[in-house]
Amino acid sequence: MKRLVVITSDALEVIRSLGASDLVAGVYSGILKNSLFWPQFNDKPKMGTWKEINYEQVVELNPDAVLCYGSRPGVDMEKKLAPFGIQVIRLDFFKPATLAKEVAILGKILGKEKEAAGLAAWYGDHLNHIHGFLEKRSAGPKVYIEGDSSYHTAAPGSGGHDMCVFSGGSNIAEVLSIPYPEVTSEWIVTANPDVVVKVTTKSAGGSCYSMADARNFKAIRTGIMDRPAWSHINAVKRGRIHLIANEIWTGPRAVIGMYYLVKWFFPDASQDFYPAGLHREYLEKFQKIPYQGVYVYPE
């Protein structure tokens, strides 16, 4: 495997961690929105998005394979690329439960088994630290998770639900039947969560890696606390409303986001969990870029 087209940021991040950036021949079209984070890929040909790829450009680039999510784009992708000898590699890299296994698979495909084992071990060590902490704890707080759009939450089947549960929270949406349902304000007030976690970057103005301060996160948090009737919610009464950047929510940096969740769910755990330090280590050791940006508010 010598030439890859990569159309998801999650996969591209794992490839850089494995030291395989030189194999990337084409990338997803939105990469320039986060150009500081991807300095070595900004000039690569753009091949479309994780939802819709430009097949004509891919064929013209003549890669050995295209790396995409497990279910998107759809199965027509294989039918359209197979006649040109281009393979499709489907790996998600956004679910904490399967991340290490998928890293090992990609490492084998790219001949980077040693690097993949090192990255998977790093994930495993920190997940075990979380598991060990939670084994000594009773039930965690009730949590409402909200995505970038207001009142869109994460239920079983989503990476966000896994993030909450793996960090010791009790997701108030665990009774819902679809992974990304829209709920009402009244439903949330009635459920009365102890903690609210708002996942965003888009609404806050773009890439967290480029942010110099948390003013946009602060404004979003104020808007949430001022929603009608939300003053009756325990999370608002006690100021337990936290914003977290999408970049460390699920995906290859999920364990960093989980460290923050553990701190927020169990405030007395703060001495055992230092997510900013963990993030710095990840960016400098695996991504080979300096630590910078704003990722949460308030810590």
Side-chain angles (χ1 to χ4, degrees):
M1 197 68 65
K2 296 182 179 179
R3 286 171 57 82
L4 286 171
V5 165
V6 185
I7 61 170
T8 80
S9 59
D10 291 336
L12 196 58
E13 197 168 311
V14 173
I15 285 174
R16 189 161 64 177
S17 287
L18 301 185
S21 298
D22 58 321
L23 302 180
V24 177
V27 296
Y28 62 98
S29 298
I31 197 168
L32 293 178
K33 295 178 181 177
N34 199 6
S35 58
L36 276 180
F37 190 76
W38 303 113
Q40 70 271 59
F41 299 126
N42 289 325
D43 294 332
K44 296 289 184 181
K46 314 303 185 291
M47 298 286 112
T49 72
W50 61 273
K51 293 186 288 187
E52 188 172 4
I53 192 170
N54 187 321
Y55 291 104
E56 186 175 332
Q57 286 186 324
V58 171
V59 170
E60 187 175 334
L61 193 63
N62 192 30
D64 298 307
V66 175
L67 182 51
C68 62
Y69 285 129
S71 60
R72 298 290 292 269
V75 293
D76 281 351
M77 191 172 182
E78 281 83 346
K79 295 177 183 177
K80 291 181 178 179
L81 295 179
F84 300 96
I86 301 172
Q87 298 182 48
V88 176
I89 303 172
R90 293 187 175 275
L91 295 168
D92 285 326
F93 300 118
F94 64 77
K95 292 186 176 180
T98 56
L99 179 58
K101 179 180 178 181
E102 292 185 323
V103 167
I105 292 171
L106 185 61
K108 187 172 184 179
I109 292 172
L110 301 183
K112 295 285 185 178
E113 292 93 338
K114 180 180 178 181
E115 291 83 355
L119 180 60
W122 187 83
Y123 288 133
D125 288 345
H126 294 293
L127 287 174
N128 287 337
H129 181 51
I130 294 172
H131 294 160
F133 172 81
L134 293 177
E135 283 179 352
K136 303 170 186 174
R137 297 284 164 154
S138 56
K142 291 194 297 181
V143 181
Y144 167 61
I145 302 163
E146 184 170 280
D148 197 60
S149 299
S150 298
Y151 305 115
H152 282 86
T153 190
S158 68
H161 173 76
D162 291 350
M163 289 284 289
C164 178
V165 174
F166 289 5
S167 304
S170 175
N171 184 8
I172 64 170
E174 66 181 359
V175 298
L176 303 180
S177 58
I178 57 176
Y180 303 100
E182 183 177 2
V183 296
T184 66
S185 179
E186 292 76 13
W187 181 85
I188 299 163
V189 172
T190 301
N192 193 21
D194 303 302
V195 180
V196 170
V197 177
K198 171 77 173 179
V199 185
T200 188
T201 295
K202 184 178 178 182
S203 295
S207 162
C208 58
Y209 193 72
S210 304
M211 286 187 191
D213 59 61
R215 71 181 71 178
N216 291 340
F217 276 10
K218 184 178 180 181
I220 292 171
R221 181 176 185 266
T222 299
I224 292 172
M225 298 184 75
D226 289 342
R227 287 175 178 174
W230 277 47
S231 59
H232 299 290
I233 295 175
N234 282 342
V236 176
K237 291 177 183 176
R238 297 165 186 167
R240 299 181 74 182
I241 314 288
H242 298 275
L243 272 75
I244 185 167
N246 186 59
E247 284 88 336
I248 58 172
W249 180 259
T250 71
R253 282 179 276 175
V255 71
I256 297 163
M258 291 169 68
Y259 262 45
Y260 278 111
L261 293 184
V262 171
K263 276 189 62 176
W264 298 338
F265 295 169
F266 306 95
D268 63 329
S270 58
Q271 297 303 314
D272 293 328
F273 292 89
Y274 182 44
L278 188 67
H279 200 176
R280 178 184 294 276
E281 178 188 355
Y282 173 82
L283 292 180
E284 294 179 354
K285 179 177 181 179
F286 295 107
Q287 296 296 301
K288 309 298 185 187
I289 58 175
Y291 176 79
Q292 65 179 59
V294 176
Y295 303 91
V296 298
Y297 182 83
E299 287 201 34

